[in-house]
Amino acid sequence: MNIKLLKLTSGEEIVAGVEEREEKLALTNAVTFMPTHEGMAMVPWLMIADDESLPIEINRMHVMWEGKPHDDIVNAYNSKFGSGIVVPEKGNIIV
């Protein structure tokens, strides 16, 4: 499962664990971002769902664009839902 940034035909931008299934995408732990006075907050895409960790299938025709989110977004997502592995910033690796 890959963590992807999706721009939907509705205009929504979401980040989720994505598994490709024929003409559909299965989204796990889908989140969107909401501005706050401190910056941006990661909030569940479907805020009133019982369990946002269950896969939500959407048809590919509703996806305008998909790609890799910025490393900061991947790190925040992994801290909340994933292994907790954080990708170090480029240039900060000491060998």
Side-chain angles (χ1 to χ4, degrees), residues 4-21:
K4 291 188 178 183
L5 171 63
L6 304 174
K7 174 81 171 189
L8 305 181
T9 55
S10 63
E12 296 168 288
E13 293 179 4
I14 60 175
V15 172
V18 178
E19 180 183 324
E20 300 192 27
R21 297 180 181 171

Side-chain angles (χ1 to χ4, degrees), residues 68-82:
K68 181 185 178 300
H70 191 276
D71 286 344
D72 291 344
I73 302 297
V74 173
N75 288 340
Y77 186 90
N78 281 335
S79 293
K80 183 164 182 158
F81 299 112

Side-chain angles (χ1 to χ4, degrees), residues 35-87:
T36 68
H37 62 281
E38 297 174 359
M40 297 295 281
M42 189 170 25
V43 296
W45 177 46
L46 301 175
M47 291 186 221
I48 58 174
D50 279 343
D51 188 355
E52 70 266 7
S53 67
L54 294 176
I56 300 163
E57 287 191 350
I58 62 169
N59 195 305
R60 281 188 165 280
M61 66 185 269
H62 298 293
V63 178
M64 291 177 27
W65 180 87
E66 65 182 75
K68 181 185 178 300
H70 191 276
D71 286 344
D72 291 344
I73 302 297
V74 173
N75 288 340
Y77 186 90
N78 281 335
S79 293
K80 183 164 182 158
F81 299 112
S83 62
I85 295 174
V86 174
V87 177

